């Protein structure tokens, strides 16, 4: 297939060239891209300098050139955006990861500051104790005992974690080592239930640690009843909410654990087991928020009682505070008042969260943050308590946000609350997830009642209008430009989901091309609406559907080939119709006024016409290559089937000649018609199909060669079979010797083919000449000159004269059909026969006692006698295959003996006596 440049592309390139490079005599100012791309570009100054002395006509052309440059720049920008889209998304994810890392670093720095504050408080307490009698020694002992007890406690915690890792597979991956992390307790043989059906999913064990929950699944090992524990998931206690489900007839002894947007339901065997689990959770959370007093060595005095709620700041004793502050009662009362206010606000926050009063709860959270910010040294426990309440409140708001089909006002309110709480990323993910669920729910409401076009139209309306609304809502709710990448990824994901449904109902159901085109038009109409909203997704749609469209064309091509294969197999190869060639000069020159074609050729033309009529519904430039490849495959597939029928089939001369004519008709008539049809469909010249006629113009000649080879073998085997014939007869050579009856039968077979060729518009001279040429190719084959034992073929004196006479007779009768190469091969056959005779008779080669070898005149006389004997019933190929009378043969014999006869240009294969 030759490469080419489409006419429209060439015209566009020429137009662009004329626009960018004006002629010297033109006064149209050139567009300076270098100045336009400068950072300090001033458009007003540029126009004043450029259009200072330019006429109005040239200004219009300059404006058109600017618009062309703008379009080119816009296309390049779009290509660059799509090309670098994956990198942009990857960098956005990296930035989000860095933000999380920075948040973690900020928390670690706060923890370090808190540790420093605690150390300073401890130093102050040590100084105060040292001022008392014996206090310095007691402080040193207390420090030494504290360090020793803390080291022993860490070893014990590590042993507990090691035991967990050893008994529960993969536990170390979910619960890594961390300082002060220890096991609070465990509850075994719990049923994990499905929240929707209340059916048991699996049996689990829950291990409650100081800051985490570990879920381990019971699994059987092999085919035995022994079970092992495998860690499945883990939760941070600060991120989960444990809710006791009310004991009733349906939901008895159940506990619900909420982790952000996930909900898990667990069932216990008894109420005691459930209460034990809740008690363990309470102890673990109390340890996190500082309500439970830390474990101290027995030698130290017990800590002061803490009557505050979980999360409150421990209160020092009045004596210690007076010692540290020098008796500043006012400062003590202010700190106590601040802690009391925080405690009351936390209680109020719990009430708002329980009542789902999210607005009031968010306002209260902001006040709590301001109160903590005003505190000079806020305790870490207070911060953790506030963070835990914020997490619980945010999870509840996220749960509401995840509800599909929510009103816009409610969605905006929830997103605003999450933004105030600092959960922007989670709000973004929940918003997009809820919009996906909305699209899914609305899609399920559509009814498919057998009308694919109506269903796809409604599906496109649902998908793309919800996508447009989502884009509008997203731009209003999330003003941060760094979050736009998430919206683009979501749109691409929903486009892929639409493509899956479209592919399942349109492409996989093998719809007609008209239905496919109608569905695509509905889809493109809705995509254009997105373009008005500033989101052009046509390129994404083309990328999604291009493989499916090409697959449909290939499937249609396969069905066409199967139909044509059936037509060729069932064709009896008789003339089904005759087509006029008035509109095709090339066909008229080859076939005359009409073309006789078989039924399979007519079917091929019908199939190609239907193929083009179907493709006109979905035709576009991107499918040009696949359409051309399919048409070429169909045409070449039929021609190959014709070749197989000619090679392997046992048909009559009329059927095979009809096949030869039909092959030429496919090349000279069907291909131009198909090319003209595709030209009208694409609106331009389909060069590849037009060039196909030139590529296939040698194919009919190839079929003619196969026809000649096939019938050369069949005629030789049924008459003059040189391969199996023996030339060892020891009779004497006399003047009444004549060509063999086998040669006469061979020539009569050629005459039958010649008479059949008179009825078909085929090159008779080329066909008959090809058969004769193939006969001599078979005779000259070296394999036919060896006997079974590997010996050379032998000839007797009579046998060599018989072979030469038959060949001489064949060449004289065929006359003008004999080509120069055929004549040379005949000479080689005669020479090889004579050499074989002389090789087996050395005395004849030396001339002593040799039998006489006849000359050319003797052979000519024998041929004339044979032609006179055969008379009018024998074909004379030299005179146009006409039946002649006895007198015409005699006249022909006399003319052959003339010195300047037209027949003398055929070289006789008979060697002279001197040459021997």
């Amino acid at each position: 297939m030759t490469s080419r440049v489409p006419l429209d592309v060439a015209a566009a390139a020429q137009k662009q060239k004329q626009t960018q490079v004006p002629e010297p005599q033109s006064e149209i100012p050139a567009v300076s891209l270098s100045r336009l791309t400068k950072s300090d570009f001033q458009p007003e100054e540029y126009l004043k300098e450029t259009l200072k002395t330019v006429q109005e006509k040239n200004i219009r052309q300059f404006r058109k050139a600017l618009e062309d440059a703008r379009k080119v720049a816009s296309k390049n920008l779009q290509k660059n955006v799509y090309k670098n889209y994956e990198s942009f998304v990857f960098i956005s994810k990296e930035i989000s990861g860095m933000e999380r890392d920075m948040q973690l670093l900020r928390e670690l720095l706060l923890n370090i500051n808190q540790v420093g504050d605690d150390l300073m408080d401890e130093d102050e307490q040590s100084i105060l104790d040292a001022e008392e009698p014996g206090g310095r020694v007691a402080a040193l002992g207390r420090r030494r005992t504290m360090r020793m007890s803390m080291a022993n406690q860490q070893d014990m915690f590590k042993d507990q974690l090691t035991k967990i890792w050893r008994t529960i597979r993969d536990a170390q991956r979910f619960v890594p080592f961390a300082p002060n992390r220890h096991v609070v307790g465990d509850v075994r043989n719990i049923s994990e239930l499905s929240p929707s059906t209340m059916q048991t999913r699996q049996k689990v064990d829950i291990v409650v640690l100081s800051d985490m929950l570990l879920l381990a699944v019971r699994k059987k090992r092999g085919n035995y009843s022994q079970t092992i524990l495998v860690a499945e998931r883990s939760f941070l206690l600060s991120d989960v909410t444990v809710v006791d489900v009310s004991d009733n007839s349906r939901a008895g002894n159940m506990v619900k654990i909420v982790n952000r947007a996930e909900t898990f339901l667990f069932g216990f065997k008894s109420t005691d087991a459930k209460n034990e689990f809740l008690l363990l959770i309470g102890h673990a959370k109390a340890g996190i928020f500082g309500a439970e007093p830390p474990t101290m060595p027995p030698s130290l005095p017990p800590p002061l009682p803490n009557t505050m709620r979980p999360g409150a700041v421990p209160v020092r004793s009045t004596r210690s505070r007076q010692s540290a502050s020098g008796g500043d009662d006012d400062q003590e009362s202010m700190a106590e008042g601040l802690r009391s206010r925080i405690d009351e606000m936390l209680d109020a926050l719990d009430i708002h969260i329980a009542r789902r009063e999210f607005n009031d709860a968010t306002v209260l959270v902001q006040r709590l943050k301001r109160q903590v910010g005003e505190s000079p040294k806020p305790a870490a426990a207070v911060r953790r308590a506030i963070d835990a309440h914020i997490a619980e409140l945010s999870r509840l708001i996220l749960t509401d946000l995840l509800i599909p089909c929510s009103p816009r006002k409610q969605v905006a309110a929830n997103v605003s609350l999450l933004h105030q709480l600092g959960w922007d990323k989670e709000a973004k993910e929940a918003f997009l997830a809820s919009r996906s669920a909305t699209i899914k729910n609305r899609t399920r409401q559509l009814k498919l009642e057998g009308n694919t076009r109506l269903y796809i139209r409604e599906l496109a309306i649902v998908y793309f209008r919800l996508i447009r609304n989502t884009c509008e809502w997203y731009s209003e709710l999330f003003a941060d430009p760094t979050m736009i990448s998430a919206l683009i990824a979501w749109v691409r994901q929903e486009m892929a989901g639409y493509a899956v449904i479209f592919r399942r109902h349109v492409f996989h159901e093998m719809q007609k091309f008209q239905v496919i085109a109608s569905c695509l038009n509905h889809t493109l109409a809705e995509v254009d609406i997105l373009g008005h909203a500033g989101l052009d997704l046509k390129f994404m749609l083309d990328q999604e559907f291009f493989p499916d469209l090409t697959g449909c064309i290939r499937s249609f091509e396969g069905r066409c080939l199967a139909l044509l294969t059936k037509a060729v197999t069932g064709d009896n190869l008789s003339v089904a119709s005759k087509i006029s060639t008035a509109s095709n000069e090339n066909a008229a020159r080859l076939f005359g006024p009409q073309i006789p074609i078989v039924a399979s050729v007519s079917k091929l033309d019908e199939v190609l016409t239907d193929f083009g009529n179907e493709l006109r519904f979905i035709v576009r430039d991107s499918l040009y290559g696949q359409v051309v490849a399919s048409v070429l495959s169909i045409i070449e597939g039929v021609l190959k089937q014709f070749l197989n029928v000619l090679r392997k089939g046992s048909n009559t001369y009329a059927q095979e000649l009809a096949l030869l004519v039909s092959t030429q008709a496919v090349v000279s008539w069907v291909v131009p018609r198909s090319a003209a049809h595709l030209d009208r469909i694409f609106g331009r010249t389909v060069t590849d199909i037009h060039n196909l006629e030139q590529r296939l113009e040698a194919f009919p000649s190839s079929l003619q060669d196969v026809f000649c080879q096939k019938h050369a073998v069949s005629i030789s085997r049924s008459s003059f079979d040189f391969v199996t014939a023996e030339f060892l007869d020891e009779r004497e050579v006399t003047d009444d010797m004549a060509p063999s009856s086998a040669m006469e039968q061979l020539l009569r077979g050629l005459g039958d083919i010649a008479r059949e060729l008179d009825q078909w518009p085929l090159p008779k001279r080329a066909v008959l000449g090809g058969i004769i040429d193939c006969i001599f190719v078979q005779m000259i084959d070296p394999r036919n000159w060896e006997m079974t034992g590997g010996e050379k073929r032998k000839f007797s004196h009579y046998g060599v004269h018989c072979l030469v006479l038959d060949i001489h007779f064949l060449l004289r009768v065929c006359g003008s059909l004999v080509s120069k190469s055929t004549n040379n091969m005949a000479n080689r056959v005669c020479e090889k026969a004579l050499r074989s005779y002389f090789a087996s008779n050395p005395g004849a080669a030396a001339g002593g006692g040799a039998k006489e070898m006849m000359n050319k005149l003797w052979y000519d006389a024998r041929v004339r006698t044979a032609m006179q004997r055969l008379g009018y019933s024998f074909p004379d190929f030299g005179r146009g295959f006409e039946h002649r009378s006895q007198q015409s043969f005699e006249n022909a014999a006399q003319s052959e003996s003339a010195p300047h006869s037209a027949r003398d240009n055929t070289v006789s294969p008979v060697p002279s006596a001197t040459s021997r």
Side-chain angles (χ1 to χ4, degrees):
M1 186 181 296
T2 58
S3 61
R4 67 194 185 286
V5 179
L7 297 178
D8 53 353
V9 177
Q14 184 67 21
K15 181 178 178 181
Q16 184 178 3
K17 181 178 179 182
Q18 293 177 359
T19 303
Q20 294 181 355
V21 187
E23 297 179 358
Q25 63 271 18
S26 176
E27 298 180 358
I28 303 174
V31 177
S32 178
L33 296 179
S34 59
R35 295 188 60 183
L36 292 175
T37 54
K38 287 184 177 180
S39 59
D40 57 347
F41 174 70
Q42 298 293 334
E44 297 178 357
E45 297 180 1
Y46 175 74
L47 291 177
K48 289 180 181 179
E49 296 176 3
T50 306
L51 306 178
K52 187 175 183 180
T53 59
V54 180
Q55 298 178 358
E56 181 180 358
K57 180 180 179 181
N58 295 337
I59 291 176
R60 295 180 183 275
Q61 296 183 4
F62 176 72
R63 179 175 179 270
K64 185 177 181 181
L66 282 176
E67 290 179 352
D68 293 340
R70 181 182 63 81
K71 292 179 180 178
V72 173
S74 178
K75 291 182 179 178
N76 292 335
L77 179 61
Q78 185 177 6
K79 291 180 180 178
N80 291 333
V81 169
Y82 180 70
K83 181 179 179 181
N84 300 320
Y85 173 72
E86 294 182 359
S87 301
F88 177 73
V89 173
F90 177 76
I91 293 174
S92 300
K93 292 181 179 179
E94 290 293 329
I95 292 174
S96 301
M98 292 179 65
E99 290 177 353
R100 290 194 298 268
D101 295 342
M102 291 299 296
Q103 183 67 25
L104 179 61
L105 179 60
R106 188 180 296 110
E107 294 178 359
L108 293 176
L109 291 175
L110 290 175
N111 293 336
I112 292 175
N113 293 334
Q114 186 63 36
V115 170
D117 295 341
D118 295 341
L119 290 176
M120 291 178 64
D121 292 342
E122 184 180 354
D123 290 341
E124 293 175 359
Q125 181 66 32
S126 301
I127 293 172
L128 293 174
D129 293 340
E131 294 177 356
E132 299 179 358
R136 189 176 187 85
V137 177
L140 293 176
R142 188 183 300 110
R143 288 187 182 180
R144 186 180 302 107
T145 307
M146 178 69 74
R147 284 196 297 269
M148 293 175 63
S149 62
M150 290 298 293
N152 296 334
Q153 191 179 44
Q154 292 298 324
D155 293 338
M156 183 182 64
F157 292 166
K158 191 171 183 180
D159 292 340
Q160 291 178 352
L161 292 178
T162 304
K163 184 178 179 181
I164 293 294
W165 298 340
R166 186 171 61 253
T167 55
I168 301 177
R169 182 184 298 177
D170 295 336
Q172 190 171 4
R173 183 163 61 92
F174 291 95
V175 185
F177 174 77
N180 296 325
R181 177 174 292 168
H182 60 279
V183 177
V184 178
D186 63 332
V187 183
R188 302 181 182 180
N189 202 13
I190 305 174
S191 300
E192 182 181 357
L193 307 178
S194 173
S196 58
T197 63
M198 295 295 179
Q199 298 296 324
T200 302
R201 290 179 176 175
Q202 56 189 355
K203 293 292 185 177
V204 299
D205 288 5
I206 300 180
V207 180
V208 182
L209 292 96
S210 57
D211 58 344
M212 296 183 70
L213 288 179
L214 175 64
L215 267 66
V217 183
R218 291 184 175 272
K219 293 186 178 181
K220 291 185 178 181
R221 176 181 295 176
N223 298 325
Y224 303 98
S225 59
Q226 182 180 4
T227 59
I228 60 173
L229 291 175
V230 180
E232 186 180 58
R233 63 173 65 93
S234 62
F235 309 110
L236 291 175
L237 277 178
S238 58
D239 292 342
V240 301
T241 301
V242 181
V243 181
D244 182 8
V245 180
S246 300
D247 296 337
N248 53 43
S249 59
R250 186 183 177 200
N253 300 327
M254 294 185 185
V255 171
K256 181 170 65 175
I257 296 179
V258 181
N259 178 40
R260 292 184 181 271
E262 296 179 314
T263 302
F264 302 92
L265 190 63
F266 299 97
F268 296 84
K269 289 184 176 181
S270 62
T271 307
D272 295 338
K274 182 183 73 172
N275 293 336
E276 180 186 358
F277 175 72
L278 295 176
L279 184 61
L280 291 175
I281 294 294
H283 282 304
K285 285 199 171 185
I288 291 178
F289 299 132
E292 186 177 85
T295 305
M296 300 297 290
S299 59
L300 294 180
L304 294 175
N306 188 2
T307 59
M308 296 183 63
R309 63 183 305 283
V313 180
V315 185
R316 294 181 183 178
S317 64
T318 306
R319 185 186 61 82
S320 300
R321 184 169 297 277
Q322 288 178 353
S323 301
S325 58
D328 193 355
D329 296 335
D330 294 337
Q331 190 174 3
E332 176 70 20
S333 61
M334 290 177 61
E336 295 241 356
L338 178 61
R339 286 194 293 273
S340 178
R341 288 195 300 273
I342 292 176
D343 187 32
E344 292 176 356
M345 293 170 68
L346 288 175
D347 291 337
L349 182 59
D350 286 334
I351 295 173
H352 288 311
I353 292 176
R355 293 179 178 178
R356 302 183 66 85
E357 298 173 352
F358 298 145
N359 293 327
D360 296 338
T362 304
V363 172
L364 195 55
V365 166
Q366 301 299 327
R367 290 176 56 193
L368 271 171
K369 289 183 177 179
R370 287 195 297 270
Q371 290 287 346
V372 172
E374 293 173 359
S375 177
K377 293 182 180 180
V382 175
R383 293 183 181 275
R384 288 196 298 268
I386 295 175
D387 292 340
H389 283 77
I390 292 175
E392 184 177 359
L393 175 61
S394 301
R395 282 193 295 271
L396 293 176
I397 298 175
L398 285 175
T399 304
D400 281 359
L401 186 59
L402 284 171
I403 298 175
C405 305
S406 299
R408 182 173 183 175
K409 185 177 181 180
Q410 179 181 348
V411 172
N414 289 331
V415 171
S416 177
L417 294 177
L418 290 171
H419 175 69
Q420 296 177 33
L421 295 174
W423 283 49
D424 295 275
K425 180 181 177 182
E426 290 79 3
K428 171 194 66 178
E429 296 174 354
F431 171 72
L432 295 178
S434 67
R435 298 303 292 174
S436 298
T438 301
I439 293 175
K440 189 175 181 180
N441 290 343
R442 295 287 174 82
T443 302
R444 289 178 174 177
Q445 295 174 4
L446 300 178
K447 295 182 180 180
L448 179 60
E449 299 177 347
N451 192 340
T452 305
R453 300 182 185 180
L454 180 61
Y455 177 78
I456 293 299
R457 179 181 180 182
E458 295 176 351
L459 181 69
I461 291 174
V462 168
Y463 254 90
F464 293 105
R465 295 196 180 182
L466 285 177
I467 289 176
R468 183 191 64 179
N469 294 341
T470 302
C471 294
E472 293 176 355
W473 293 12
Y474 193 91
S475 60
E476 295 178 4
L477 299 177
F478 303 97
D480 189 359
T482 59
M483 293 187 177
I484 297 298
S485 60
L487 177 63
I488 296 175
W490 178 83
V491 170
R492 187 175 183 85
Q493 175 185 349
E494 295 304 320
M495 287 285 292
Y498 175 81
V500 169
I501 302 176
F502 188 97
R503 189 177 297 116
R504 183 170 59 249
H505 290 282
V506 178
F507 293 118
H508 291 178
E509 294 295 332
M510 304 299 293
Q511 300 286 349
K512 293 183 178 180
F513 284 109
Q514 186 174 4
V515 177
I516 295 175
S518 178
C519 296
L520 287 175
N521 291 335
H522 291 318
T523 303
L524 291 175
E526 295 300 325
V527 171
D528 287 338
I529 297 178
L530 284 178
H532 298 325
L535 194 62
D536 188 4
L537 301 178
K538 284 186 177 180
F539 70 97
M540 297 173 66
L541 200 65
D542 292 338
Q543 290 178 353
E544 288 288 346
F545 291 152
F546 178 77
D548 300 296
L549 289 173
T550 55
C552 284
I553 295 175
R554 286 194 296 268
S555 299
F556 194 77
E557 169 198 337
R559 295 198 297 271
C560 292
L561 283 175
L563 186 64
L564 290 172
T565 301
K566 184 178 179 180
V568 173
T569 304
D571 195 353
N572 58 3
L573 300 181
S574 61
V575 177
S577 60
K578 293 185 178 181
I579 307 300
S580 175
T581 60
S583 60
N584 193 330
E585 297 180 359
N586 187 25
R589 178 175 54 82
L590 293 173
F591 300 102
Q594 290 183 334
I595 306 175
I597 58 175
V598 296
S600 54
V601 175
S602 178
K603 188 66 176 178
L604 173 63
D605 180 65
E606 178 184 350
V607 167
L608 289 177
T609 303
D610 294 341
F611 187 74
N613 291 335
E614 286 288 334
L615 288 178
R616 65 187 173 87
F617 295 107
I618 62 170
V619 67
R620 57 192 63 189
D621 291 337
S622 59
L623 300 175
Y624 175 85
Q626 183 59 49
V627 172
V628 170
S630 297
V631 173
L632 294 179
S633 177
I634 292 173
I635 296 174
E636 292 177 353
V638 172
L639 292 178
K640 289 179 182 178
Q641 292 180 36
F642 284 173
L643 180 61
N644 292 332
V645 170
L646 185 61
R647 282 178 175 173
K648 301 177 182 179
S650 55
N651 304 301
T652 62
Y653 290 149
Q655 290 175 326
E656 293 184 351
L657 293 177
L659 191 62
L660 294 180
V661 174
S662 298
T663 302
Q664 186 65 53
V666 170
V667 176
S668 303
W669 179 69
V670 175
V671 173
R673 277 174 55 85
S674 178
H677 193 194
L678 291 177
D679 290 346
R680 291 191 295 272
I681 292 175
F682 280 98
R684 57 189 177 94
T685 303
V686 184
T687 313
D688 295 304
I689 305 298
H690 286 281
N691 294 337
L692 181 63
E693 184 178 1
Q694 299 178 359
R695 287 174 47 201
L696 296 177
E697 62 181 2
F699 194 82
S701 300
S702 301
L703 259 68
Q704 290 180 14
D705 294 340
V706 173
F707 177 84
C708 295
Q709 295 172 5
K710 178 180 178 181
H711 289 288
V713 174
S714 62
I715 292 175
S716 298
R717 288 180 178 177
S718 62
S719 56
F720 185 79
D721 192 359
F722 177 78
V723 178
T724 60
E726 293 185 357
F727 300 92
L728 298 176
D729 196 345
E730 296 295 341
R731 289 183 292 175
E732 294 293 333
V733 177
T734 60
D735 290 341
D736 58 352
M737 189 175 178
S740 64
S741 59
M743 182 57 67
E744 292 179 6
Q745 188 177 355
L746 184 146
L747 290 171
R748 291 184 189 278
L750 289 176
D752 295 338
I753 297 177
R755 284 189 293 274
E756 193 65 42
L757 280 169
D758 289 335
Q759 304 176 15
W760 301 95
L762 288 172
K764 292 175 284 188
R765 183 182 298 275
V767 174
L768 292 175
I771 295 175
I772 297 170
D773 188 70
C774 292
I775 290 174
F776 280 101
V777 169
Q778 184 182 5
M779 294 174 64
I780 203 66
D781 190 353
R783 294 174 296 181
N784 296 330
W785 291 85
E786 293 182 359
M787 300 178 68
T788 306
E791 299 179 358
K792 297 295 183 180
R793 194 165 189 170
K794 296 181 180 181
F795 292 84
S796 65
H797 182 262
Y798 182 85
V800 71
H801 280 80
C802 183
L803 175 63
V804 173
L805 179 59
D806 285 343
I807 294 175
H808 192 71
F809 181 58
L810 174 62
L811 296 180
R812 286 295 184 182
V813 172
C814 293
S816 59
L817 299 178
V818 180
S819 64
K820 186 175 181 180
S821 61
T822 305
N823 195 72
N824 292 333
M825 285 190 289
N827 286 332
R828 291 176 59 190
V829 171
C830 294
E831 289 179 4
K832 291 187 73 171
L834 290 172
R835 290 180 184 276
S836 178
Y837 167 70
F838 290 131
S840 59
N841 298 278
K851 295 181 181 181
E852 181 182 3
M853 302 300 294
M854 301 304 174
N855 57 14
K856 181 177 181 297
L857 296 178
W858 183 86
Y859 287 106
D860 291 340
R862 302 288 78 73
V863 170
R864 285 195 301 270
T865 302
M867 295 177 70
Q868 291 172 3
R869 175 175 56 83
L870 295 173
Y872 66 90
S873 62
F874 200 74
D876 182 9
F877 300 105
R879 295 188 180 276
F881 320 109
E882 298 174 354
H883 298 293
R884 302 186 303 167
S885 63
Q886 178 73 17
Q887 186 63 33
S888 64
F889 274 106
E890 294 177 355
N891 295 335
Q894 293 176 3
S895 65
E896 287 174 355
S897 62
H900 297 288
S901 173
R903 309 276 301 271
D904 284 345
N905 53 5
T906 301
V907 181
S908 173
V910 182
S912 61
T914 56
S915 65
R916 292 195 299 270

